[in-house]
Amino acid sequence: MVVKEITSGVYSVGAIDWDRRLFDELIPLPDGTTYNAYLIKGSEKTALIDTVDPTKEFDLVCNLVRLGVDRIDYIVANHAEQDHSGSLPMMLELYPDAKVVTNEKCREFLIDLLQVSADRFQTIRDREILSLGDRTLEFIIAPWVHWPETMLTFLREDRILFPCDFFGSHYASSETYVQDERAIYLAAKRYYAEIMMPFRNSIKGHMEKVEALDPKIIAPSHGPLYNNPGMIVAAYKDWISDEVKNEVVLPYVSMHGSTQKMVDYFTGALIDYGIVVKPFNLTKTDIGHLAMALVDAATIVIGTPTVIFGPHPQAVYATYLTNLLRPKARFVSIIGSYGWGGQTVDILKGMLTHIKPEILEPVIVKGQPNEETMKSLDRLAEDIKKKHTEIGILPEGE
Ligand code: FEO
């Protein structure tokens, strides 16, 4: 249980989950996470911004008791996902006069997901304001960060932005504000890669609105708060930009060593051309690291053997995940070996429906790689070098 005063009358009342190691049964959380909720006491009304994961609702209740909160007028729901809304039913029982303030879309989700009674809502529109007396909340509808119902809440007088997941990081810390900027940059990049990257184009529009608000503090619902918002705003502008970097991401798996030999040789060839290469052995890698590498890379090369008639299931998983995350990579190729045939290349190419890259000629060999295979890998490395040079991310002559 932790209560922290952000400014006079504004408190952080959420929970720290030091031990959580997986989110959505999918996303690794090496640093745990927090579910941040905020209490704002106005001269006339009190508002709670978001709640916490239901596994931590006792923490939220204790924090409110500790603050002596005997009445909540509004519970603002910026996002319906259960790690922020899951304690809403309990809050509504404990505070029977509280209204859930949210947009129409989020209202629908909360009714469907949590069976919140329809008469408990106060629905708001984009840019609507809500007075707490001496304080004013402004709501900015911001779909797709990262669900269709997401919105941001801005506390005007204190210039605090509550963007829920947007700008968040899965990082358990006892510190209120970012202290170690490098550590939080990496945690926020991991968060962006795994959760926000598919919605890069929507985020571009939201960034303009955030910059126009000029917040003094950004208080997300995961991880520490930013009292220097410029740091996370600049990072997001880089990640969502259309600029790619001179990098090749190489997720791969090898069964009997042939694909591994090709990956090793190919990695060296790319390094010789001055290209940054990031190989990920899919049997060992943390998919969060793979996702982070996908944020910037110009090229993805998938390495896989053929299992029966198609790609190795680990390569299928990585390719499916890559397609879901929609990185901005421009070029894709495939390398690997097979025993007796199959449709590895066509199956993997067919999976990349969302990112529509230019496919560079794959290198697929029967059995062990030989001298010819290495020449083909040299040719693929040279193709990548040419492409990176053409788009201006690798200087001529490197
Ligand atoms: Fe932190 Fe989309 O929930």
Short mmCIF file of all heavy atoms in Angstrom, two decimals, residues 45-47 71-78 88 92 97-108 110-111 116-126 128-132 137 139 141 151:
data_model
loop_
_atom_site.label_atom_id
_atom_site.label_comp_id
_atom_site.label_asym_id
_atom_site.label_seq_id
_atom_site.Cartn_x
_atom_site.Cartn_y
_atom_site.Cartn_z
N LYS A 45 -15.75 18.56 -5.47
CA LYS A 45 -15.93 17.16 -5.85
C LYS A 45 -14.59 16.43 -5.80
O LYS A 45 -13.52 17.05 -5.95
CB LYS A 45 -16.49 17.05 -7.28
CG LYS A 45 -17.79 17.79 -7.50
CD LYS A 45 -18.97 17.03 -6.93
CE LYS A 45 -20.27 17.73 -7.30
NZ LYS A 45 -21.43 17.11 -6.63
N THR A 46 -14.69 15.12 -5.65
CA THR A 46 -13.49 14.27 -5.64
C THR A 46 -13.59 13.27 -6.79
O THR A 46 -14.65 12.67 -7.00
CB THR A 46 -13.39 13.52 -4.30
OG1 THR A 46 -13.23 14.49 -3.25
CG2 THR A 46 -12.21 12.57 -4.28
N ALA A 47 -12.48 13.11 -7.50
CA ALA A 47 -12.46 12.18 -8.63
C ALA A 47 -11.33 11.17 -8.46
O ALA A 47 -10.24 11.51 -7.99
CB ALA A 47 -12.27 12.94 -9.95
N ARG A 71 -15.94 9.82 0.36
CA ARG A 71 -16.85 10.04 -0.76
C ARG A 71 -16.05 10.23 -2.05
O ARG A 71 -15.07 10.98 -2.07
CB ARG A 71 -17.69 11.30 -0.49
CG ARG A 71 -18.69 11.60 -1.60
CD ARG A 71 -19.44 12.91 -1.39
NE ARG A 71 -20.18 13.24 -2.59
CZ ARG A 71 -21.43 12.86 -2.83
NH1 ARG A 71 -22.10 12.17 -1.93
NH2 ARG A 71 -22.03 13.18 -3.96
N ILE A 72 -16.45 9.53 -3.09
CA ILE A 72 -15.90 9.77 -4.43
C ILE A 72 -17.08 10.12 -5.32
O ILE A 72 -18.08 9.39 -5.35
CB ILE A 72 -15.15 8.54 -4.96
CG1 ILE A 72 -13.86 8.30 -4.14
CG2 ILE A 72 -14.78 8.71 -6.43
CD1 ILE A 72 -13.08 7.06 -4.55
N ASP A 73 -16.96 11.24 -6.02
CA ASP A 73 -18.08 11.67 -6.88
C ASP A 73 -17.95 11.09 -8.28
O ASP A 73 -18.96 10.74 -8.88
CB ASP A 73 -18.11 13.21 -6.94
CG ASP A 73 -18.30 13.80 -5.56
OD1 ASP A 73 -19.43 13.75 -5.06
OD2 ASP A 73 -17.30 14.27 -4.98
N TYR A 74 -16.70 11.04 -8.76
CA TYR A 74 -16.49 10.58 -10.13
C TYR A 74 -15.35 9.56 -10.17
O TYR A 74 -14.30 9.78 -9.55
CB TYR A 74 -16.11 11.75 -11.04
CG TYR A 74 -17.08 12.90 -11.02
CD1 TYR A 74 -16.69 14.15 -10.52
CD2 TYR A 74 -18.38 12.75 -11.51
CE1 TYR A 74 -17.57 15.22 -10.50
CE2 TYR A 74 -19.27 13.81 -11.49
CZ TYR A 74 -18.86 15.04 -10.99
OH TYR A 74 -19.74 16.09 -10.97
N ILE A 75 -15.58 8.49 -10.91
CA ILE A 75 -14.47 7.58 -11.22
C ILE A 75 -14.27 7.67 -12.74
O ILE A 75 -15.14 7.26 -13.51
CB ILE A 75 -14.78 6.13 -10.80
CG1 ILE A 75 -15.11 6.09 -9.30
CG2 ILE A 75 -13.59 5.22 -11.14
CD1 ILE A 75 -15.53 4.71 -8.80
N VAL A 76 -13.17 8.26 -13.12
CA VAL A 76 -12.89 8.43 -14.56
C VAL A 76 -12.29 7.13 -15.09
O VAL A 76 -11.30 6.63 -14.54
CB VAL A 76 -11.91 9.61 -14.78
CG1 VAL A 76 -11.52 9.70 -16.26
CG2 VAL A 76 -12.53 10.91 -14.30
N ALA A 77 -12.89 6.59 -16.13
CA ALA A 77 -12.34 5.37 -16.76
C ALA A 77 -11.75 5.78 -18.11
O ALA A 77 -12.47 6.01 -19.08
CB ALA A 77 -13.44 4.33 -16.94
N ASN A 78 -10.43 5.87 -18.14
CA ASN A 78 -9.75 6.23 -19.40
C ASN A 78 -9.68 5.04 -20.35
O ASN A 78 -9.43 5.23 -21.54
CB ASN A 78 -8.32 6.68 -19.10
CG ASN A 78 -8.27 8.11 -18.57
OD1 ASN A 78 -8.94 9.00 -19.09
ND2 ASN A 78 -7.47 8.33 -17.53
N LEU A 88 -13.28 -1.60 -10.63
CA LEU A 88 -14.41 -0.66 -10.71
C LEU A 88 -15.66 -1.20 -9.99
O LEU A 88 -16.29 -0.46 -9.21
CB LEU A 88 -14.69 -0.37 -12.18
CG LEU A 88 -15.58 0.80 -12.57
CD1 LEU A 88 -15.16 2.09 -11.89
CD2 LEU A 88 -15.55 0.96 -14.08
N LEU A 92 -17.52 0.87 -7.04
CA LEU A 92 -18.89 1.35 -7.16
C LEU A 92 -19.75 0.86 -5.99
O LEU A 92 -20.72 1.52 -5.60
CB LEU A 92 -19.49 0.91 -8.50
CG LEU A 92 -18.87 1.62 -9.71
CD1 LEU A 92 -19.38 1.02 -11.02
CD2 LEU A 92 -19.17 3.12 -9.68
N ASP A 97 -22.44 6.63 -4.46
CA ASP A 97 -22.85 7.85 -5.17
C ASP A 97 -21.94 8.16 -6.36
O ASP A 97 -22.18 9.13 -7.10
CB ASP A 97 -22.84 9.06 -4.21
CG ASP A 97 -23.85 8.88 -3.09
OD1 ASP A 97 -24.94 8.33 -3.37
OD2 ASP A 97 -23.53 9.24 -1.94
N ALA A 98 -20.89 7.39 -6.53
CA ALA A 98 -19.91 7.70 -7.58
C ALA A 98 -20.48 7.40 -8.96
O ALA A 98 -21.17 6.39 -9.16
CB ALA A 98 -18.64 6.89 -7.36
N LYS A 99 -20.19 8.29 -9.89
CA LYS A 99 -20.55 8.08 -11.30
C LYS A 99 -19.29 7.67 -12.06
O LYS A 99 -18.20 8.22 -11.81
CB LYS A 99 -21.07 9.37 -11.92
CG LYS A 99 -22.46 9.75 -11.45
CD LYS A 99 -23.51 8.91 -12.17
CE LYS A 99 -24.91 9.30 -11.79
NZ LYS A 99 -25.90 8.30 -12.23
N VAL A 100 -19.42 6.78 -13.02
CA VAL A 100 -18.30 6.43 -13.89
C VAL A 100 -18.31 7.41 -15.06
O VAL A 100 -19.28 7.47 -15.83
CB VAL A 100 -18.42 5.00 -14.42
CG1 VAL A 100 -17.22 4.67 -15.31
CG2 VAL A 100 -18.53 4.01 -13.27
N VAL A 101 -17.25 8.20 -15.15
CA VAL A 101 -17.16 9.21 -16.20
C VAL A 101 -16.30 8.65 -17.33
O VAL A 101 -15.11 8.35 -17.12
CB VAL A 101 -16.54 10.52 -15.65
CG1 VAL A 101 -16.38 11.54 -16.77
CG2 VAL A 101 -17.41 11.07 -14.52
N THR A 102 -16.90 8.50 -18.48
CA THR A 102 -16.15 7.96 -19.61
C THR A 102 -16.88 8.25 -20.91
O THR A 102 -17.96 8.85 -20.91
CB THR A 102 -15.89 6.44 -19.43
OG1 THR A 102 -14.90 6.03 -20.37
CG2 THR A 102 -17.16 5.62 -19.64
N ASN A 103 -16.25 7.84 -22.01
CA ASN A 103 -16.88 8.08 -23.32
C ASN A 103 -17.84 6.92 -23.66
O ASN A 103 -17.84 5.88 -22.99
CB ASN A 103 -15.80 8.25 -24.40
CG ASN A 103 -14.93 7.02 -24.54
OD1 ASN A 103 -15.34 6.03 -25.13
ND2 ASN A 103 -13.72 7.05 -23.97
N GLU A 104 -18.61 7.13 -24.71
CA GLU A 104 -19.66 6.16 -25.05
C GLU A 104 -19.09 4.77 -25.34
O GLU A 104 -19.62 3.75 -24.90
CB GLU A 104 -20.45 6.70 -26.26
CG GLU A 104 -21.64 5.85 -26.66
CD GLU A 104 -22.64 5.61 -25.53
OE1 GLU A 104 -22.91 6.56 -24.77
OE2 GLU A 104 -23.13 4.47 -25.39
N LYS A 105 -18.00 4.73 -26.07
CA LYS A 105 -17.40 3.45 -26.45
C LYS A 105 -16.91 2.69 -25.21
O LYS A 105 -17.11 1.49 -25.08
CB LYS A 105 -16.26 3.71 -27.44
CG LYS A 105 -15.51 2.50 -27.91
CD LYS A 105 -16.32 1.59 -28.78
CE LYS A 105 -16.25 1.96 -30.23
NZ LYS A 105 -17.07 1.05 -31.06
N CYS A 106 -16.26 3.42 -24.32
CA CYS A 106 -15.74 2.79 -23.11
C CYS A 106 -16.90 2.32 -22.22
O CYS A 106 -16.82 1.27 -21.58
CB CYS A 106 -14.84 3.76 -22.36
SG CYS A 106 -13.90 3.00 -21.03
N ARG A 107 -17.96 3.09 -22.21
CA ARG A 107 -19.16 2.69 -21.45
C ARG A 107 -19.64 1.32 -21.94
O ARG A 107 -19.92 0.43 -21.15
CB ARG A 107 -20.24 3.76 -21.65
CG ARG A 107 -21.58 3.45 -21.03
CD ARG A 107 -22.55 4.58 -21.37
NE ARG A 107 -23.87 4.36 -20.82
CZ ARG A 107 -24.82 3.64 -21.41
NH1 ARG A 107 -24.60 3.09 -22.57
NH2 ARG A 107 -26.00 3.50 -20.82
N GLU A 108 -19.70 1.16 -23.26
CA GLU A 108 -20.15 -0.13 -23.82
C GLU A 108 -19.24 -1.26 -23.35
O GLU A 108 -19.70 -2.32 -22.94
CB GLU A 108 -20.10 -0.10 -25.36
CG GLU A 108 -21.19 0.70 -26.02
CD GLU A 108 -20.91 0.84 -27.52
OE1 GLU A 108 -20.23 -0.03 -28.10
OE2 GLU A 108 -21.37 1.85 -28.08
N LEU A 110 -17.33 -1.38 -20.68
CA LEU A 110 -17.42 -1.64 -19.24
C LEU A 110 -18.69 -2.40 -18.89
O LEU A 110 -18.70 -3.23 -17.98
CB LEU A 110 -17.35 -0.32 -18.46
CG LEU A 110 -15.99 0.38 -18.53
CD1 LEU A 110 -16.06 1.77 -17.92
CD2 LEU A 110 -14.92 -0.46 -17.80
N ILE A 111 -19.75 -2.14 -19.65
CA ILE A 111 -20.99 -2.91 -19.44
C ILE A 111 -20.76 -4.36 -19.88
O ILE A 111 -21.13 -5.30 -19.17
CB ILE A 111 -22.16 -2.24 -20.20
CG1 ILE A 111 -22.52 -0.91 -19.53
CG2 ILE A 111 -23.37 -3.17 -20.26
CD1 ILE A 111 -23.52 -0.07 -20.29
N VAL A 116 -21.04 -3.45 -15.46
CA VAL A 116 -21.35 -2.23 -14.71
C VAL A 116 -22.75 -1.78 -15.11
O VAL A 116 -23.11 -1.77 -16.30
CB VAL A 116 -20.32 -1.12 -15.02
CG1 VAL A 116 -20.70 0.19 -14.33
CG2 VAL A 116 -18.92 -1.56 -14.60
N SER A 117 -23.54 -1.41 -14.13
CA SER A 117 -24.93 -1.02 -14.40
C SER A 117 -24.98 0.27 -15.22
O SER A 117 -24.25 1.24 -14.95
CB SER A 117 -25.64 -0.83 -13.06
OG SER A 117 -26.88 -0.27 -13.26
N ALA A 118 -25.84 0.29 -16.23
CA ALA A 118 -25.90 1.43 -17.15
C ALA A 118 -26.22 2.74 -16.43
O ALA A 118 -25.82 3.82 -16.89
CB ALA A 118 -26.94 1.15 -18.23
N ASP A 119 -26.91 2.68 -15.30
CA ASP A 119 -27.29 3.94 -14.63
C ASP A 119 -26.15 4.55 -13.80
O ASP A 119 -26.32 5.60 -13.19
CB ASP A 119 -28.54 3.74 -13.76
CG ASP A 119 -28.29 2.74 -12.63
OD1 ASP A 119 -27.14 2.25 -12.52
OD2 ASP A 119 -29.24 2.46 -11.88
N ARG A 120 -24.99 3.89 -13.81
CA ARG A 120 -23.87 4.45 -13.04
C ARG A 120 -22.96 5.36 -13.89
O ARG A 120 -21.96 5.88 -13.38
CB ARG A 120 -23.00 3.32 -12.44
CG ARG A 120 -23.69 2.43 -11.44
CD ARG A 120 -24.23 3.17 -10.21
NE ARG A 120 -23.23 3.84 -9.42
CZ ARG A 120 -22.61 3.31 -8.36
NH1 ARG A 120 -22.86 2.07 -8.01
NH2 ARG A 120 -21.72 4.02 -7.67
N PHE A 121 -23.32 5.55 -15.15
CA PHE A 121 -22.40 6.28 -16.04
C PHE A 121 -22.77 7.75 -16.21
O PHE A 121 -23.94 8.11 -16.20
CB PHE A 121 -22.38 5.63 -17.43
CG PHE A 121 -21.65 4.32 -17.45
CD1 PHE A 121 -22.34 3.13 -17.24
CD2 PHE A 121 -20.29 4.27 -17.66
CE1 PHE A 121 -21.67 1.91 -17.24
CE2 PHE A 121 -19.61 3.06 -17.66
CZ PHE A 121 -20.31 1.88 -17.46
N GLN A 122 -21.75 8.56 -16.40
CA GLN A 122 -21.90 9.92 -16.92
C GLN A 122 -21.03 9.98 -18.17
O GLN A 122 -19.80 9.94 -18.06
CB GLN A 122 -21.46 10.94 -15.87
CG GLN A 122 -21.59 12.37 -16.35
CD GLN A 122 -21.42 13.36 -15.19
OE1 GLN A 122 -21.81 13.10 -14.06
NE2 GLN A 122 -20.81 14.49 -15.48
N THR A 123 -21.66 10.03 -19.33
CA THR A 123 -20.89 9.91 -20.58
C THR A 123 -20.42 11.28 -21.04
O THR A 123 -21.18 12.25 -21.02
CB THR A 123 -21.77 9.26 -21.65
OG1 THR A 123 -22.31 8.06 -21.12
CG2 THR A 123 -20.96 8.91 -22.89
N ILE A 124 -19.17 11.34 -21.47
CA ILE A 124 -18.60 12.61 -21.93
C ILE A 124 -18.20 12.52 -23.40
O ILE A 124 -18.04 11.43 -23.94
CB ILE A 124 -17.37 13.04 -21.07
CG1 ILE A 124 -16.32 11.93 -21.01
CG2 ILE A 124 -17.81 13.44 -19.69
CD1 ILE A 124 -15.37 11.86 -22.12
N ARG A 125 -18.04 13.68 -24.00
CA ARG A 125 -17.57 13.75 -25.39
C ARG A 125 -16.17 14.33 -25.43
O ARG A 125 -15.67 14.85 -24.42
CB ARG A 125 -18.50 14.67 -26.20
CG ARG A 125 -19.90 14.13 -26.25
CD ARG A 125 -20.60 14.59 -27.54
NE ARG A 125 -21.87 13.90 -27.63
CZ ARG A 125 -23.03 14.49 -27.76
NH1 ARG A 125 -23.09 15.80 -27.84
NH2 ARG A 125 -24.14 13.79 -27.83
N ASP A 126 -15.58 14.28 -26.63
CA ASP A 126 -14.23 14.80 -26.80
C ASP A 126 -14.17 16.28 -26.39
O ASP A 126 -15.01 17.07 -26.78
CB ASP A 126 -13.82 14.65 -28.27
CG ASP A 126 -12.36 14.98 -28.50
OD1 ASP A 126 -11.55 14.72 -27.59
OD2 ASP A 126 -12.03 15.47 -29.59
N GLU A 128 -14.79 17.63 -23.63
CA GLU A 128 -15.72 18.06 -22.60
C GLU A 128 -14.95 18.29 -21.29
O GLU A 128 -13.91 17.66 -21.06
CB GLU A 128 -16.78 16.97 -22.40
CG GLU A 128 -18.02 17.48 -21.70
CD GLU A 128 -19.18 16.48 -21.80
OE1 GLU A 128 -19.35 15.85 -22.86
OE2 GLU A 128 -19.88 16.35 -20.79
N ILE A 129 -15.44 19.17 -20.47
CA ILE A 129 -14.78 19.42 -19.19
C ILE A 129 -15.71 19.06 -18.03
O ILE A 129 -16.93 19.01 -18.20
CB ILE A 129 -14.28 20.88 -19.05
CG1 ILE A 129 -15.45 21.86 -19.18
CG2 ILE A 129 -13.19 21.19 -20.03
CD1 ILE A 129 -15.07 23.27 -18.78
N LEU A 130 -15.09 18.80 -16.91
CA LEU A 130 -15.85 18.43 -15.70
C LEU A 130 -15.24 19.22 -14.54
O LEU A 130 -14.03 19.10 -14.28
CB LEU A 130 -15.71 16.92 -15.45
CG LEU A 130 -16.43 16.36 -14.24
CD1 LEU A 130 -17.95 16.44 -14.40
CD2 LEU A 130 -16.02 14.89 -14.03
N SER A 131 -16.05 19.99 -13.86
CA SER A 131 -15.54 20.82 -12.77
C SER A 131 -15.56 20.05 -11.46
O SER A 131 -16.55 19.39 -11.12
CB SER A 131 -16.38 22.10 -12.63
OG SER A 131 -15.94 22.80 -11.48
N LEU A 132 -14.43 20.16 -10.72
CA LEU A 132 -14.38 19.61 -9.37
C LEU A 132 -14.44 20.76 -8.36
O LEU A 132 -14.08 20.59 -7.20
CB LEU A 132 -13.09 18.80 -9.17
CG LEU A 132 -12.81 17.68 -10.18
CD1 LEU A 132 -11.48 16.98 -9.84
CD2 LEU A 132 -13.94 16.65 -10.19
N LEU A 137 -11.27 18.98 -14.99
CA LEU A 137 -10.79 17.86 -15.82
C LEU A 137 -11.25 18.07 -17.24
O LEU A 137 -12.41 18.43 -17.48
CB LEU A 137 -11.35 16.53 -15.30
CG LEU A 137 -10.98 16.13 -13.87
CD1 LEU A 137 -11.64 14.81 -13.49
CD2 LEU A 137 -9.46 16.04 -13.71
N PHE A 139 -11.36 16.06 -21.02
CA PHE A 139 -11.23 14.70 -21.58
C PHE A 139 -10.91 14.79 -23.07
O PHE A 139 -11.55 15.53 -23.81
CB PHE A 139 -12.53 13.92 -21.35
CG PHE A 139 -12.92 13.90 -19.90
CD1 PHE A 139 -13.96 14.70 -19.44
CD2 PHE A 139 -12.22 13.13 -18.98
CE1 PHE A 139 -14.31 14.72 -18.10
CE2 PHE A 139 -12.55 13.15 -17.63
CZ PHE A 139 -13.60 13.96 -17.19
N ILE A 141 -10.62 12.40 -26.27
CA ILE A 141 -10.84 11.06 -26.82
C ILE A 141 -9.63 10.72 -27.70
O ILE A 141 -9.27 11.48 -28.60
CB ILE A 141 -12.13 11.01 -27.66
CG1 ILE A 141 -13.30 11.57 -26.87
CG2 ILE A 141 -12.37 9.58 -28.18
CD1 ILE A 141 -13.99 10.67 -25.92
N MET A 151 -9.06 7.05 -23.84
CA MET A 151 -9.08 8.51 -23.78
C MET A 151 -8.04 8.99 -22.76
O MET A 151 -7.48 8.21 -21.99
CB MET A 151 -10.48 9.02 -23.41
CG MET A 151 -10.93 8.71 -22.01
SD MET A 151 -12.61 9.36 -21.72
CE MET A 151 -12.60 9.47 -19.93
#
